[in-house]
Amino acid sequence: RCYRGNIPVIIAGNKMESLEQQQQPTAARSRQQIISLLQRFKFVRQCIKCSAKNLLHVDDVFNKAKVSVMYPIKPLYDLVEGRLTPACSRAFTRIFRMFDLDRDGLLSDDELMAFQNKIWGATLIGRDVIEWKKALAHHDMIIHRREEASVESDPRSEDVMVNDKITLTGFLTIIDIFISQNRLEVPWTVLWTLGYD
């Protein structure tokens, strides 16, 4: 109750070798406990099983701790509200507009490729664009189902894709997906490459 969530927390479950020796139901219960921790305490960034005795995943614990400090979530995502912070939304809205070269409010495949090339110095191939659009459509479908099931939900404001092009909502959703997958290095790389700090 006294922890305010200002510092990222990584839980390291040591003695992994003893878990491996236990029966399957115990391992499943351990997995459920980890999921429960992550859902209940939004400030917990990672749960890692390790073994100091066998030197298994010990380096992962330190690497995840380093990454959580290098790529903080707090400036990007409001864990209480479960959405991008206003400052993060403004920054990525501006970035979206920078790459929307034809000013139609949509990112075409060519504009996405220009974005990819500017940030990572690599060209997206057609298959990657298709996979991103599939992931975006799948994520949108899940959100849409939740909204339909929720009595208090607001009506949807905008689709993630229009005419096979990505909308601003879709672009922000991509950033949200990376954050929810705990891949904070991606949005931070975009921001740093374009001069944000």
Side-chain angles (χ1 to χ4, degrees):
R1 282 186 287 193
C2 10
Y3 185 75
R4 292 192 176 102
N6 294 331
I7 299 169
V9 173
I10 295 175
I11 296 177
N14 200 9
K15 300 189 185 256
M16 187 172 134
E17 69 279 355
S18 64
L19 267 180
E20 290 174 352
Q21 294 169 357
Q22 295 175 356
Q23 297 175 347
Q24 192 65 19
T26 306
R29 188 174 51 231
S30 172
R31 194 172 307 112
Q32 273 308 115
Q33 288 172 335
I34 290 171
I35 291 169
S36 175
L37 275 173
L38 290 170
Q39 289 173 340
R40 186 168 170 215
F41 302 105
K42 300 296 185 188
F43 53 82
V44 175
R45 300 306 310 140
Q46 294 272 317
C47 290
I48 304 170
K49 295 178 186 175
C50 64
S51 169
K53 178 181 178 182
N54 296 336
L55 297 177
L56 289 170
H57 306 292
V58 175
D59 55 339
D60 287 345
V61 173
F62 290 99
N63 285 332
K64 294 295 182 183
K66 179 181 76 173
V67 165
S68 71
V69 172
M70 287 176 57
Y71 307 112
I73 194 169
K74 192 170 182 174
L76 302 178
Y77 201 78
D78 184 333
L79 293 169
V80 175
E81 296 291 323
R83 66 176 120 185
L84 299 177
T85 63
C88 181
S89 290
R90 278 191 307 275
F92 279 102
T93 297
R94 182 175 177 274
I95 291 166
F96 175 88
R97 291 182 180 140
M98 285 171 52
F99 287 93
D100 180 18
L101 301 175
D102 59 7
R103 303 291 182 240
D104 64 351
L106 304 167
L107 288 183
S108 67
D109 292 358
D110 290 338
E111 291 166 336
L112 280 173
M113 289 182 194
F115 171 76
Q116 171 79 11
N117 195 29
K118 173 72 176 176
I119 303 303
W120 287 280
T123 306
L124 272 175
I125 55 176
R127 182 179 62 235
D128 292 336
V129 173
I130 291 168
E131 289 304 314
W132 262 111
K133 288 180 180 178
K134 281 183 187 176
L136 199 51
H138 179 72
H139 183 79
D140 188 47
M141 181 182 66
I142 292 169
I143 298 299
H144 185 59
R145 283 184 186 159
R146 281 188 202 148
E147 288 174 348
E148 287 175 345
S150 173
V151 177
E152 300 174 14
S153 138
D154 293 331
R156 295 181 58 190
S157 58
E158 187 179 345
D159 290 325
V160 294
M161 286 191 297
V162 172
N163 299 328
D164 204 38
K165 295 180 180 180
I166 296 177
T167 64
L168 172 60
T169 300
F171 187 70
L172 295 176
T173 299
I174 290 171
I175 302 306
D176 192 82
I177 290 170
F178 277 118
I179 292 171
S180 67
Q181 292 175 345
N182 208 21
R183 297 200 41 216
L184 297 170
E185 71 278 3
V186 174
W188 277 113
T189 299
V190 172
L191 292 168
W192 291 334
T193 301
L194 296 173
Y196 290 87
D197 57 8

